Amino acid sequence: MRNIQIKLMSHFSNLNRNIGWLITALAFSLPFERIPSFHALGVSVRLPLIFGLLLVLVVIGKIALFQGRFRLLIYEKIFLLFILWQALLIPSSINVSRAIAVIIFTSFVVLLCITIRVLWRNEYWVNIRKAILISATIVAIFGLYQYIANLFN
């Protein structure tokens, strides 16, 4: 068992180098909300969702590997209480399936918040700022193109 744990730790150390790029990819893909996307099982799958799920899987692996050395901060506990409150309100909602979808999405966002907090290192800032600036510029240019095209119809 210890030998397997040592091998897994070496894989995670290699993965640690790529976590910054995964967080950067998540930040870069956020402005491209619908492009590209596809629908699977009634869910619109977008790049931020894929990058977020990969980050969550990394944290789950790290917590499992290091036997749960993890604490929730107070604001994260408040987020989780909010999700619990939403779950308690499901029976009284008008559209139960929509309420469940909202809770799942909210839970994913909170889980992603916790995930990034666990994985965060200050050295990631440089690449993330560049990625956000580049993606925002691309989206702004595309928006101006659409605006000008609509003016001239």
Side-chain angles (χ1 to χ4, degrees), residues 5 15 63 65 83 88-89 97 114-115 144 146 150-151:
Q5 196 172 22
L15 187 62
I63 290 171
L65 181 65
I83 292 170
L88 292 174
L89 294 176
S97 63
I114 294 168
T115 297
L144 285 173
Q146 283 186 318
N150 285 342
L151 280 178

Side-chain angles (χ1 to χ4, degrees), residues 95-113:
N95 187 347
V96 174
S97 63
R98 179 70 180 147
I100 291 170
V102 167
I103 289 173
I104 290 170
F105 175 73
T106 305
S107 300
F108 176 71
V109 170
V110 169
L111 188 59
L112 192 57
C113 170

Side-chain angles (χ1 to χ4, degrees), residues 18-135:
N18 296 323
I19 288 173
W21 290 108
L22 198 54
I23 293 173
T24 302
L26 174 67
F28 179 83
S29 65
L30 285 175
F32 304 103
E33 181 59 24
R34 294 278 179 199
I35 304 169
S37 67
F38 62 92
H39 294 283
L41 302 173
V43 176
S44 181
V45 179
R46 300 182 278 284
L47 279 177
L49 178 68
I50 294 168
F51 294 136
L53 283 174
L54 288 172
L55 286 167
V56 168
L57 290 174
V58 168
V59 165
I60 289 171
K62 281 186 153 198
I63 290 171
L65 181 65
F66 297 114
Q67 296 146 355
R69 294 183 206 149
F70 172 71
R71 270 188 5 187
L72 288 174
L73 300 177
I74 186 69
Y75 70 88
E76 295 165 344
K77 291 176 185 177
I78 292 170
F79 287 158
L80 293 175
L81 284 174
F82 176 69
I83 292 170
L84 178 65
W85 177 253
Q86 284 181 325
L88 292 174
L89 294 176
I90 287 176
S92 64
S93 66
I94 295 170
N95 187 347
V96 174
S97 63
R98 179 70 180 147
I100 291 170
V102 167
I103 289 173
I104 290 170
F105 175 73
T106 305
S107 300
F108 176 71
V109 170
V110 169
L111 188 59
L112 192 57
C113 170
I114 294 168
T115 297
I116 290 177
R117 195 259 312 159
V118 168
L119 296 175
W120 185 255
R121 292 183 183 159
N122 285 332
E123 63 200 41
Y124 299 155
W125 266 122
V126 174
N127 290 331
I128 290 173
R129 279 188 236 157
K130 288 177 188 176
I132 290 174
L133 184 62
I134 292 168
S135 65

Side-chain angles (χ1 to χ4, degrees), residues 1-11 64-67 69:
M1 180 66 176
R2 180 74 180 151
N3 198 15
I4 293 172
Q5 196 172 22
I6 291 171
K7 285 183 180 180
L8 285 174
M9 285 172 59
S10 69
H11 288 296
L65 181 65
F66 297 114
Q67 296 146 355
R69 294 183 206 149

